[in-house]
Amino acid sequence: MFLNSVAARSTIPPPWPDVLNGGIAMELVVDVELSVRDRAILRAVARGCAELVWGSEPDLYLDDRFCCDQNAVHKLVRAGLIAPAVEGAVGERLPAVITTAGRLELVA
């Protein structure tokens, strides 16, 4: 997918307002079946060592290394279990956080 320069500079509004600025809001959560690897990625994000390269299909870095299972990352982001901690532009590397729904999945 190619982005023109205007789209690449535009800011994407965060779909998960509950993780930004400590706000309280309902989350959009998709019911997904999590694998052992999905849960490991959630635990790594919960440790605070993760960053997302924001876009339509965000990429995840763990401890400054590219996560090898981007399909799992895309599934977790689409399900509302991982989100950027702050608003950012397309292509910007942002801190990643686990959402409330993600925490609930880890204890389930």
Side-chain angles (χ1 to χ4, degrees), residues 73-93:
V73 172
H74 299 160
K75 177 174 78 171
L76 294 171
V77 171
R78 280 192 304 269
L81 305 178
I82 297 174
V86 296
E87 289 187 37
V90 172
E92 189 175 355
R93 201 162 161 173

Side-chain angles (χ1 to χ4, degrees), residues 20-102:
L20 299 175
N21 302 322
I24 299 172
M26 300 264 313
E27 294 179 355
L28 170 65
V29 179
V30 177
D31 188 27
V32 294
E33 186 175 326
L34 298 180
S35 68
V36 173
R37 182 177 290 183
D38 296 335
R39 291 182 184 281
I41 292 171
L42 283 176
R43 284 191 302 273
V45 173
R47 282 196 319 263
C49 62
E51 294 177 301
L52 284 171
V53 177
W54 195 234
S56 62
E57 294 287 344
D59 294 327
L60 183 70
Y61 284 81
L62 299 169
D63 293 325
D64 289 325
R65 293 185 177 166
F66 192 71
C67 179
C68 67
D69 192 351
Q70 292 300 318
N71 289 328
V73 172
H74 299 160
K75 177 174 78 171
L76 294 171
V77 171
R78 280 192 304 269
L81 305 178
I82 297 174
V86 296
E87 289 187 37
V90 172
E92 189 175 355
R93 201 162 161 173
L94 307 167
V97 294
I98 186 170
T99 64
T100 305

